Amino acid sequence: MPSPKARPLASFTGTALGRRVEHLHRNGSASQRQLADFILRNPIRVSAMTIEDLARATGISAPTISRFARELGFGGFGEMRNGVAGLVQILMDPVAKLREQMQVEPGGGRSLELLALAARQVERVDASASAATIEHVAQGLRRARHVHVMGFGLSAHVSALLVLGLQPFLASVTAVVEYGGTEVAAGRLMTIGPEDLLIAITFPRYASDVVRLAHYAKDRGAGIVALTDSPASPLMPIADEVLLAPSEHPVLSCSMVAAISLAETLVAAVMLSDPENVEKAARLTQAIGSYLLKDG
């Protein structure tokens, strides 16, 4: 299987600096796009590099790198590197984030702030872009011979929600990660092929097994849908469709609120995509009815 690119720090793109770098990644010159791509994928390395190191790593000249730094609003490369380093220190270390938040005055207002943050995460989902993608993915799920859903760590819980929601309405759905670790997950993907679709889910801190197994599925001709947090995600280069859910959080390593929202929306889109799903929903309700609490 081909080796994936260096794993990025996706939460970096949610910062003001990260958004400026991402803008040049989309709209800059060829050299600016190349530099921006390297920074988005390697902010930790960049935070410890000299300008000569970066020039050698990217093939971009030092004067061009200096101009790039000024385009981002810095006085030069050193200032840009320090800006990246400061963000990396905050974003990469959950312990540091927790320690920083502990210095804030305690009180009930903190919980209200965190609840408001959760609501903002959902609001930050690009609804216009996501709606079209969700509809397209829903149609792809209906056409697929078999749907595989894969996520490790926290992402495994989002995967489980998707599988639980999709199974009554699709012909064949498998949770790739349940028990047994990577070896069992790889075994479940052994028969994946061009008529199948894999939903791969990963958020910071990214699971390397998701990337490797997604590459395997891609090489076998399967369609790849990525549910992830950033254009710098390691799944981006191999995904046919991408659903982006912001995941930054001041205390937790990442927030899954937006990811769960997108997962629920995708399940609802599949349910609405076929009139026959009304009958399937009725059969599901009948099947589970005896297990539900009844009045009286």
mmCIF file of all heavy atoms in Angstrom, residues 179-209:
data_model
loop_
_atom_site.group_PDB
_atom_site.id
_atom_site.type_symbol
_atom_site.label_atom_id
_atom_site.label_comp_id
_atom_site.label_asym_id
_atom_site.label_seq_id
_atom_site.Cartn_x
_atom_site.Cartn_y
_atom_site.Cartn_z
ATOM 1 N N TYR A 179 -14.279 -5.125 17.464
ATOM 2 C CA TYR A 179 -13.417 -5.778 18.446
ATOM 3 C C TYR A 179 -12.278 -6.445 17.664
ATOM 4 O O TYR A 179 -12.371 -6.665 16.459
ATOM 5 C CB TYR A 179 -14.189 -6.835 19.239
ATOM 6 C CG TYR A 179 -14.852 -7.873 18.364
ATOM 7 C CD1 TYR A 179 -14.147 -9.010 17.940
ATOM 8 C CD2 TYR A 179 -16.166 -7.717 17.928
ATOM 9 C CE1 TYR A 179 -14.741 -9.942 17.119
ATOM 10 C CE2 TYR A 179 -16.763 -8.645 17.101
ATOM 11 C CZ TYR A 179 -16.061 -9.769 16.702
ATOM 12 O OH TYR A 179 -16.643 -10.684 15.883
ATOM 13 N N GLY A 180 -11.182 -6.736 18.356
ATOM 14 C CA GLY A 180 -10.086 -7.430 17.699
ATOM 15 C C GLY A 180 -9.032 -6.529 17.101
ATOM 16 O O GLY A 180 -8.022 -7.016 16.591
ATOM 17 N N GLY A 181 -9.256 -5.214 17.114
ATOM 18 C CA GLY A 181 -8.229 -4.291 16.652
ATOM 19 C C GLY A 181 -8.040 -4.274 15.149
ATOM 20 O O GLY A 181 -8.915 -4.686 14.367
ATOM 21 N N THR A 182 -6.864 -3.817 14.743
ATOM 22 C CA THR A 182 -6.578 -3.589 13.327
ATOM 23 C C THR A 182 -6.616 -4.869 12.517
ATOM 24 O O THR A 182 -7.057 -4.885 11.358
ATOM 25 C CB THR A 182 -5.206 -2.915 13.181
ATOM 26 O OG1 THR A 182 -5.187 -1.720 13.961
ATOM 27 C CG2 THR A 182 -4.939 -2.550 11.729
ATOM 28 N N GLU A 183 -6.138 -5.961 13.093
ATOM 29 C CA GLU A 183 -6.096 -7.222 12.349
ATOM 30 C C GLU A 183 -7.488 -7.654 11.913
ATOM 31 O O GLU A 183 -7.710 -8.044 10.759
ATOM 32 C CB GLU A 183 -5.456 -8.305 13.217
ATOM 33 C CG GLU A 183 -5.312 -9.648 12.513
ATOM 34 C CD GLU A 183 -4.643 -10.701 13.385
ATOM 35 O OE1 GLU A 183 -4.121 -10.329 14.462
ATOM 36 O OE2 GLU A 183 -4.655 -11.872 12.990
ATOM 37 N N VAL A 184 -8.448 -7.575 12.829
ATOM 38 C CA VAL A 184 -9.823 -7.946 12.493
ATOM 39 C C VAL A 184 -10.425 -6.934 11.516
ATOM 40 O O VAL A 184 -11.142 -7.306 10.583
ATOM 41 C CB VAL A 184 -10.672 -8.051 13.770
ATOM 42 C CG1 VAL A 184 -12.146 -8.284 13.431
ATOM 43 C CG2 VAL A 184 -10.157 -9.174 14.657
ATOM 44 N N ALA A 185 -10.132 -5.645 11.726
ATOM 45 C CA ALA A 185 -10.637 -4.611 10.815
ATOM 46 C C ALA A 185 -10.141 -4.866 9.396
ATOM 47 O O ALA A 185 -10.907 -4.760 8.422
ATOM 48 C CB ALA A 185 -10.200 -3.232 11.296
ATOM 49 N N ALA A 186 -8.852 -5.187 9.259
ATOM 50 C CA ALA A 186 -8.303 -5.469 7.934
ATOM 51 C C ALA A 186 -8.992 -6.680 7.315
ATOM 52 O O ALA A 186 -9.282 -6.709 6.111
ATOM 53 C CB ALA A 186 -6.797 -5.697 8.030
ATOM 54 N N GLY A 187 -9.288 -7.684 8.130
ATOM 55 C CA GLY A 187 -9.973 -8.867 7.621
ATOM 56 C C GLY A 187 -11.349 -8.549 7.080
ATOM 57 O O GLY A 187 -11.794 -9.137 6.072
ATOM 58 N N ARG A 188 -12.035 -7.616 7.724
ATOM 59 C CA ARG A 188 -13.378 -7.248 7.254
ATOM 60 C C ARG A 188 -13.329 -6.520 5.912
ATOM 61 O O ARG A 188 -14.339 -6.428 5.211
ATOM 62 C CB ARG A 188 -14.071 -6.371 8.299
ATOM 63 C CG ARG A 188 -14.462 -7.130 9.549
ATOM 64 C CD ARG A 188 -15.506 -6.363 10.346
ATOM 65 N NE ARG A 188 -15.939 -7.140 11.495
ATOM 66 C CZ ARG A 188 -15.502 -6.952 12.730
ATOM 67 N NH1 ARG A 188 -14.630 -5.987 12.983
ATOM 68 N NH2 ARG A 188 -15.924 -7.706 13.721
ATOM 69 N N LEU A 189 -12.192 -5.955 5.562
ATOM 70 C CA LEU A 189 -12.062 -5.236 4.289
ATOM 71 C C LEU A 189 -11.474 -6.105 3.187
ATOM 72 O O LEU A 189 -11.274 -5.622 2.067
ATOM 73 C CB LEU A 189 -11.172 -3.998 4.481
ATOM 74 C CG LEU A 189 -11.763 -2.857 5.310
ATOM 75 C CD1 LEU A 189 -10.744 -1.741 5.485
ATOM 76 C CD2 LEU A 189 -13.041 -2.306 4.671
ATOM 77 N N MET A 190 -11.213 -7.386 3.465
ATOM 78 C CA MET A 190 -10.548 -8.250 2.497
ATOM 79 C C MET A 190 -11.309 -8.360 1.181
ATOM 80 O O MET A 190 -10.720 -8.453 0.107
ATOM 81 C CB MET A 190 -10.349 -9.649 3.086
ATOM 82 C CG MET A 190 -9.229 -9.744 4.115
ATOM 83 S SD MET A 190 -7.600 -9.577 3.370
ATOM 84 C CE MET A 190 -7.520 -11.089 2.422
ATOM 85 N N THR A 191 -12.629 -8.346 1.234
ATOM 86 C CA THR A 191 -13.431 -8.556 0.027
ATOM 87 C C THR A 191 -13.931 -7.251 -0.587
ATOM 88 O O THR A 191 -14.722 -7.291 -1.534
ATOM 89 C CB THR A 191 -14.642 -9.451 0.348
ATOM 90 O OG1 THR A 191 -15.448 -8.813 1.352
ATOM 91 C CG2 THR A 191 -14.182 -10.810 0.848
ATOM 92 N N ILE A 192 -13.496 -6.110 -0.075
ATOM 93 C CA ILE A 192 -13.986 -4.838 -0.600
ATOM 94 C C ILE A 192 -13.556 -4.665 -2.052
ATOM 95 O O ILE A 192 -12.477 -5.113 -2.450
ATOM 96 C CB ILE A 192 -13.494 -3.661 0.266
ATOM 97 C CG1 ILE A 192 -14.339 -2.407 0.019
ATOM 98 C CG2 ILE A 192 -12.009 -3.370 0.038
ATOM 99 C CD1 ILE A 192 -14.117 -1.300 1.045
ATOM 100 N N GLY A 193 -14.419 -4.044 -2.855
ATOM 101 C CA GLY A 193 -14.120 -3.909 -4.273
ATOM 102 C C GLY A 193 -14.800 -2.714 -4.904
ATOM 103 O O GLY A 193 -15.370 -1.860 -4.205
ATOM 104 N N PRO A 194 -14.777 -2.622 -6.234
ATOM 105 C CA PRO A 194 -15.275 -1.435 -6.951
ATOM 106 C C PRO A 194 -16.754 -1.139 -6.743
ATOM 107 O O PRO A 194 -17.174 0.000 -6.940
ATOM 108 C CB PRO A 194 -14.981 -1.775 -8.414
ATOM 109 C CG PRO A 194 -13.882 -2.774 -8.367
ATOM 110 C CD PRO A 194 -14.122 -3.589 -7.141
ATOM 111 N N GLU A 195 -17.543 -2.117 -6.363
ATOM 112 C CA GLU A 195 -18.974 -1.875 -6.166
ATOM 113 C C GLU A 195 -19.298 -1.460 -4.734
ATOM 114 O O GLU A 195 -20.467 -1.253 -4.399
ATOM 115 C CB GLU A 195 -19.766 -3.137 -6.520
ATOM 116 C CG GLU A 195 -19.632 -3.552 -7.980
ATOM 117 C CD GLU A 195 -20.403 -4.815 -8.282
ATOM 118 O OE1 GLU A 195 -21.091 -5.333 -7.374
ATOM 119 O OE2 GLU A 195 -20.331 -5.286 -9.424
ATOM 120 N N ASP A 196 -18.268 -1.340 -3.915
ATOM 121 C CA ASP A 196 -18.471 -1.055 -2.490
ATOM 122 C C ASP A 196 -18.078 0.382 -2.151
ATOM 123 O O ASP A 196 -17.414 1.067 -2.928
ATOM 124 C CB ASP A 196 -17.654 -2.022 -1.636
ATOM 125 C CG ASP A 196 -17.994 -3.469 -1.929
ATOM 126 O OD1 ASP A 196 -19.184 -3.745 -2.186
ATOM 127 O OD2 ASP A 196 -17.083 -4.315 -1.925
ATOM 128 N N LEU A 197 -18.466 0.790 -0.956
ATOM 129 C CA LEU A 197 -18.157 2.143 -0.495
ATOM 130 C C LEU A 197 -17.679 2.073 0.947
ATOM 131 O O LEU A 197 -18.252 1.356 1.772
ATOM 132 C CB LEU A 197 -19.397 3.028 -0.610
ATOM 133 C CG LEU A 197 -19.221 4.534 -0.399
ATOM 134 C CD1 LEU A 197 -20.186 5.316 -1.281
ATOM 135 C CD2 LEU A 197 -19.454 4.895 1.063
ATOM 136 N N LEU A 198 -16.621 2.816 1.246
ATOM 137 C CA LEU A 198 -16.083 2.900 2.600
ATOM 138 C C LEU A 198 -16.248 4.317 3.133
ATOM 139 O O LEU A 198 -15.810 5.278 2.508
ATOM 140 C CB LEU A 198 -14.594 2.536 2.608
ATOM 141 C CG LEU A 198 -13.842 2.802 3.927
ATOM 142 C CD1 LEU A 198 -14.350 1.881 5.029
ATOM 143 C CD2 LEU A 198 -12.338 2.637 3.728
ATOM 144 N N ILE A 199 -16.900 4.447 4.285
ATOM 145 C CA ILE A 199 -16.934 5.714 5.014
ATOM 146 C C ILE A 199 -15.816 5.654 6.052
ATOM 147 O O ILE A 199 -15.886 4.868 7.002
ATOM 148 C CB ILE A 199 -18.287 5.952 5.696
ATOM 149 C CG1 ILE A 199 -19.429 5.929 4.672
ATOM 150 C CG2 ILE A 199 -18.275 7.290 6.442
ATOM 151 C CD1 ILE A 199 -20.813 6.076 5.292
ATOM 152 N N ALA A 200 -14.784 6.452 5.862
ATOM 153 C CA ALA A 200 -13.636 6.480 6.767
ATOM 154 C C ALA A 200 -13.720 7.726 7.634
ATOM 155 O O ALA A 200 -13.903 8.836 7.126
ATOM 156 C CB ALA A 200 -12.333 6.465 5.979
ATOM 157 N N ILE A 201 -13.584 7.545 8.939
ATOM 158 C CA ILE A 201 -13.781 8.637 9.899
ATOM 159 C C ILE A 201 -12.510 8.807 10.723
ATOM 160 O O ILE A 201 -12.021 7.839 11.312
ATOM 161 C CB ILE A 201 -14.963 8.340 10.845
ATOM 162 C CG1 ILE A 201 -16.215 7.959 10.042
ATOM 163 C CG2 ILE A 201 -15.252 9.530 11.748
ATOM 164 C CD1 ILE A 201 -17.338 7.395 10.889
ATOM 165 N N THR A 202 -11.969 10.017 10.758
ATOM 166 C CA THR A 202 -10.839 10.279 11.643
ATOM 167 C C THR A 202 -10.782 11.750 12.014
ATOM 168 O O THR A 202 -11.083 12.621 11.195
ATOM 169 C CB THR A 202 -9.505 9.830 11.011
ATOM 170 O OG1 THR A 202 -8.482 9.828 12.016
ATOM 171 C CG2 THR A 202 -9.070 10.723 9.860
ATOM 172 N N PHE A 203 -10.425 11.985 13.265
ATOM 173 C CA PHE A 203 -10.300 13.332 13.817
ATOM 174 C C PHE A 203 -9.045 13.368 14.676
ATOM 175 O O PHE A 203 -8.515 12.329 15.066
ATOM 176 C CB PHE A 203 -11.538 13.676 14.653
ATOM 177 C CG PHE A 203 -12.765 13.910 13.818
ATOM 178 C CD1 PHE A 203 -13.550 12.846 13.395
ATOM 179 C CD2 PHE A 203 -13.115 15.196 13.429
ATOM 180 C CE1 PHE A 203 -14.657 13.057 12.599
ATOM 181 C CE2 PHE A 203 -14.230 15.412 12.636
ATOM 182 C CZ PHE A 203 -15.000 14.343 12.220
ATOM 183 N N PRO A 204 -8.538 14.569 14.957
ATOM 184 C CA PRO A 204 -7.352 14.632 15.821
ATOM 185 C C PRO A 204 -7.668 13.964 17.179
ATOM 186 O O PRO A 204 -8.749 14.159 17.714
ATOM 187 C CB PRO A 204 -7.120 16.126 16.019
ATOM 188 C CG PRO A 204 -7.832 16.773 14.879
ATOM 189 C CD PRO A 204 -9.007 15.902 14.571
ATOM 190 N N ARG A 205 -6.773 13.151 17.651
ATOM 191 C CA ARG A 205 -5.496 12.801 17.052
ATOM 192 C C ARG A 205 -5.689 11.646 16.082
ATOM 193 O O ARG A 205 -6.195 10.604 16.477
ATOM 194 C CB ARG A 205 -4.527 12.444 18.175
ATOM 195 C CG ARG A 205 -4.148 13.677 19.044
ATOM 196 C CD ARG A 205 -3.687 13.320 20.443
ATOM 197 N NE ARG A 205 -4.853 12.974 21.268
ATOM 198 C CZ ARG A 205 -4.733 12.786 22.587
ATOM 199 N NH1 ARG A 205 -3.552 12.868 23.180
ATOM 200 N NH2 ARG A 205 -5.796 12.489 23.301
ATOM 201 N N TYR A 206 -5.259 11.834 14.822
ATOM 202 C CA TYR A 206 -5.581 10.925 13.731
ATOM 203 C C TYR A 206 -5.057 9.513 13.974
ATOM 204 O O TYR A 206 -3.951 9.319 14.473
ATOM 205 C CB TYR A 206 -5.003 11.448 12.422
ATOM 206 C CG TYR A 206 -5.499 12.802 12.032
ATOM 207 C CD1 TYR A 206 -4.646 13.886 12.025
ATOM 208 C CD2 TYR A 206 -6.830 12.998 11.683
ATOM 209 C CE1 TYR A 206 -5.093 15.142 11.659
ATOM 210 C CE2 TYR A 206 -7.287 14.254 11.323
ATOM 211 C CZ TYR A 206 -6.417 15.321 11.312
ATOM 212 O OH TYR A 206 -6.865 16.567 10.964
ATOM 213 N N ALA A 207 -5.862 8.523 13.573
ATOM 214 C CA ALA A 207 -5.465 7.122 13.679
ATOM 215 C C ALA A 207 -4.796 6.702 12.371
ATOM 216 O O ALA A 207 -5.420 6.752 11.301
ATOM 217 C CB ALA A 207 -6.680 6.239 13.953
ATOM 218 N N SER A 208 -3.548 6.282 12.459
ATOM 219 C CA SER A 208 -2.821 5.898 11.249
ATOM 220 C C SER A 208 -3.453 4.677 10.578
ATOM 221 O O SER A 208 -3.388 4.532 9.354
ATOM 222 C CB SER A 208 -1.354 5.616 11.581
ATOM 223 O OG SER A 208 -1.242 4.575 12.537
ATOM 224 N N ASP A 209 -4.082 3.786 11.371
ATOM 225 C CA ASP A 209 -4.697 2.597 10.782
ATOM 226 C C ASP A 209 -5.832 2.957 9.833
ATOM 227 O O ASP A 209 -6.059 2.269 8.828
ATOM 228 C CB ASP A 209 -5.225 1.676 11.889
ATOM 229 C CG ASP A 209 -4.101 1.000 12.660
ATOM 230 O OD1 ASP A 209 -2.996 0.880 12.090
ATOM 231 O OD2 ASP A 209 -4.322 0.605 13.816
#
